[in-house]
Amino acid sequence: MSEVIDASHDHHDHHGPAAGLARWLFTTNHKDIGTLYLWFAFLMLLIGGTMALIIRAELFQPGLQFVAPEFFNQMTTNHGLIMVFGAIMPAFVGLANWLVPMMVGAPDMALPRMNNLSFWILPFAFGMLISTLFMEAGGPNFGWTFYAPLSTTYAPETVTFFIFGVHMMGASSIMGSINIIATILNMRAPGMTLMKMPLFVWTWLITAYLLLAVMPVLAGAVTMMLFDIHFGTSFFNAAGGGDPVMFQHIFWFFGHPEVYIMILPAFGIVSAIIPTFARKPLFGYDSMVYATASIAFLSFIVWAHHMFTVGMPLAGQLFFMYSTMLIAIPTGVKVFNWVATMWQGSMTFETPMLFAIAFVVLFTIGGFSGLMLAITPVDYQYHDTYFVVAHFHYVLVPGALFSIIAAVYYWLPKWCGRMYDEKLGKLHFWLSFIGVNVTFFPQHFSGLAGMPRRIPDYALQFADFNMISSCGAFIFGFSQLLLMYIVIKAIRSGQPATDRVWEGAHGLEWTLPSPAPYHSFTEPPKITDADAHS
């Protein structure tokens, strides 16, 4: 294998990328494709964020202010779909493309041409999804979980475009996962055993297997929808003998592992950043690997905790309640290990570390509210209220998104060879930290008071919490433009970065020059214990 790789890279070693547009259209280089994924994810973040701000502007006070209820529903649906499938997931795949080959000492990804294809499917998929907003019938309006029969019997005609868009996103994810698995299992440098891999590589290996397992389930669900809409079947139509609750079972069998697909790579990022700035090895590496694998396994047996109110039998409710609570154990192990890593370390608080610490604290809050939702009898009160919205945004915004931002600050100097502006980075952190808490913390209370989710108007008693929430959303949303400015400023005119960048950093990527050369490891590096996951 290695001889083949070396031979295939020999004739590339002496020149860099092609010039101009052709470089980006036809590239098979993992760094270029990682860059494409990251910029695409940022564009989707801005589009999905704009939709969120439309939602929050409408909810700033009671009454209908700016948009019709129908358009409001289209905004909630597309916001969720674009953020999950367009921003968070492609950003993590972009980080995997950039970092996995450098971390395992590989010259590139295992399947470079498929890598190019898996990216270029995405702009067409999301172009198709977003274009529905400009069609006569309007975009999808049934919520990002697209429950039948709302998404089949009562959906606008544009639902077919949405279904094909989802199929394309799924194909992209499956190809990306196969590529990551093949790279990690076949192309590690000599001496890098599985238990010497950085935790980011471990979390992505497990995440890729999760994607391979659940993306076909999502494809099955949307194909059944397609057949119900166009071919006269009744999978989810009760009038024809089908069962709408079956849709929920199929969707959440995909949807719950999907939640962990969006958080496991974040665990890997935080497990790289905290030891660097605490200047200590990660506490309990082995237990972190086993905890990640445990979470992945448990994610397959908890799906119906999203469905406690559908009339499940008591035995089912008890099973899903207890199996959901069980996830708190491996997650608690991780939080304990991060805190133990920081304990008595020589800590400094650069921007990546601030985002990582905020991740640990705020993700834990999201975990606690998840435990509350796991308790079946009280879930009847919380279900479909803003408490659920607060819960999953605490997991996905200070969880997944903060970890992605932390990763960008942490590895950007290695990518482009220049340092970002630390003062601006800290300003961005504090605006984001304050904005995210002002936005989502009050939603716990409006939810506990009974405010339903996905409504464009609400009763007067929820007005104050919603006004606070909307103010926080605009602070948080516009502060992400500062992130764009910081990154572009660093690329164009930042101070040159050293090779190791951070004095406490360990791992193969820090043995490369900054910026990392177009072809990293033309000869496999020799692994020492110092280069392993220390």
Side-chain angles (χ1 to χ4, degrees), residues 352-365:
M353 185 62 161
L354 290 174
F355 275 103
I357 293 171
F359 167 95
V360 174
V361 174
L362 300 181
F363 173 77
T364 304
I365 292 173

Side-chain angles (χ1 to χ4, degrees), residues 164-508:
F164 280 122
V166 169
H167 269 304
M168 290 163 77
M169 296 167 211
S172 169
S173 290
I174 288 169
M175 286 195 284
S177 305
I178 292 169
N179 216 339
I180 288 164
I181 292 168
T183 305
I184 295 169
L185 295 186
N186 294 329
M187 299 178 68
R188 300 192 306 281
M192 180 170 278
T193 61
L194 287 175
M195 295 308 279
K196 281 187 178 174
M197 296 194 311
L199 215 68
F200 179 74
V201 180
W202 254 118
T203 54
W204 243 117
L205 180 64
I206 292 168
T207 300
Y209 277 113
L210 282 181
L211 276 163
L212 282 188
V214 301
M215 276 299 164
V217 178
L218 178 67
V222 294
T223 305
M224 290 155 90
M225 283 170 57
L226 191 74
F227 272 67
D228 272 13
I229 294 164
H230 292 292
F231 300 111
T233 57
S234 292
F235 290 113
F236 309 127
N237 182 1
D243 185 0
V245 174
M246 181 173 75
F247 178 89
Q248 298 189 29
H249 279 292
I250 297 169
F251 178 84
W252 286 116
F253 189 79
F254 147 78
H256 201 80
E258 167 66 22
V259 174
Y260 292 100
I261 286 162
M262 290 189 286
I263 204 67
L264 290 183
F267 293 165
I269 290 165
V270 170
S271 301
I273 292 173
I274 287 177
T276 296
F277 296 102
R279 290 163 182 79
K280 278 175 63 186
L282 180 68
F283 181 89
Y285 170 88
D286 290 19
S287 63
M288 289 291 249
V289 173
Y290 299 135
T292 307
S294 308
I295 290 170
F297 169 74
L298 290 169
S299 74
F300 283 104
I301 57 169
V302 297
W303 75 88
H305 66 211
H306 298 266
M307 302 165 51
F308 282 145
T309 58
V310 301
M312 239 186 290
L314 181 63
Q317 292 185 336
L318 286 170
F319 172 81
F320 286 109
M321 178 168 87
Y322 291 136
S323 58
T324 303
M325 289 176 152
L326 209 53
I327 290 188
I329 296 169
T331 310
V333 167
K334 287 181 167 296
V335 173
F336 174 83
N337 286 9
W338 291 322
V339 173
T341 304
M342 290 187 272
W343 180 254
Q344 295 190 330
S346 305
M347 281 170 61
T348 51
F349 298 97
E350 286 85 350
T351 310
M353 185 62 161
L354 290 174
F355 275 103
I357 293 171
F359 167 95
V360 174
V361 174
L362 300 181
F363 173 77
T364 304
I365 292 173
F368 278 129
S369 59
L371 269 176
M372 293 170 69
L373 288 160
I375 303 167
T376 309
V378 289
D379 183 74
Y380 277 75
Q381 174 71 23
Y382 306 142
H383 188 76
D384 266 344
T385 70
Y386 258 80
F387 188 84
V388 179
V389 178
H391 156 68
F392 70 72
H393 280 90
Y394 259 88
V395 174
L396 286 179
V397 184
L401 185 60
F402 271 26
S403 74
I404 292 164
I405 295 169
V408 169
Y409 281 118
Y410 184 61
W411 280 290
L412 182 71
K414 176 56 64 185
W415 297 340
C416 71
R418 296 180 180 277
M419 288 299 292
Y420 62 88
D421 185 321
E422 188 65 57
K423 279 186 182 166
L424 285 179
K426 285 184 170 155
L427 174 64
H428 173 235
F429 167 75
W430 286 110
L431 285 172
S432 298
F433 181 81
I434 292 164
V436 88
N437 283 294
V438 171
T439 306
F440 298 114
F441 205 74
Q443 293 178 6
H444 291 102
F445 303 115
S446 46
L448 290 173
M451 180 173 165
R453 61 200 276 201
R454 296 181 186 158
I455 52 167
D457 190 12
Y458 53 86
L460 200 57
Q461 72 259 33
F462 305 124
D464 291 351
F465 284 138
N466 273 289
M467 189 176 283
I468 295 166
S469 230
S470 292
C471 292
F474 278 87
I475 294 169
F476 180 73
F478 282 102
S479 63
Q480 302 325 303
L481 296 173
L482 181 58
L483 171 64
M484 181 166 70
Y485 173 75
I486 292 166
V487 169
I488 293 171
K489 179 171 182 268
I491 293 168
R492 287 191 163 177
S493 60
Q495 296 295 315
T498 58
D499 289 354
R500 197 163 278 274
V501 184
W502 315 106
E503 64 172 282
H506 292 280
L508 286 178

Side-chain angles (χ1 to χ4, degrees), residues 76-86 126 129 140 144 146 162:
T76 54
T77 303
N78 282 279
H79 165 70
L81 290 167
I82 287 168
M83 287 306 205
V84 168
F85 295 107
F126 283 92
L129 177 64
W144 83 271
F146 44 98
F162 154 80

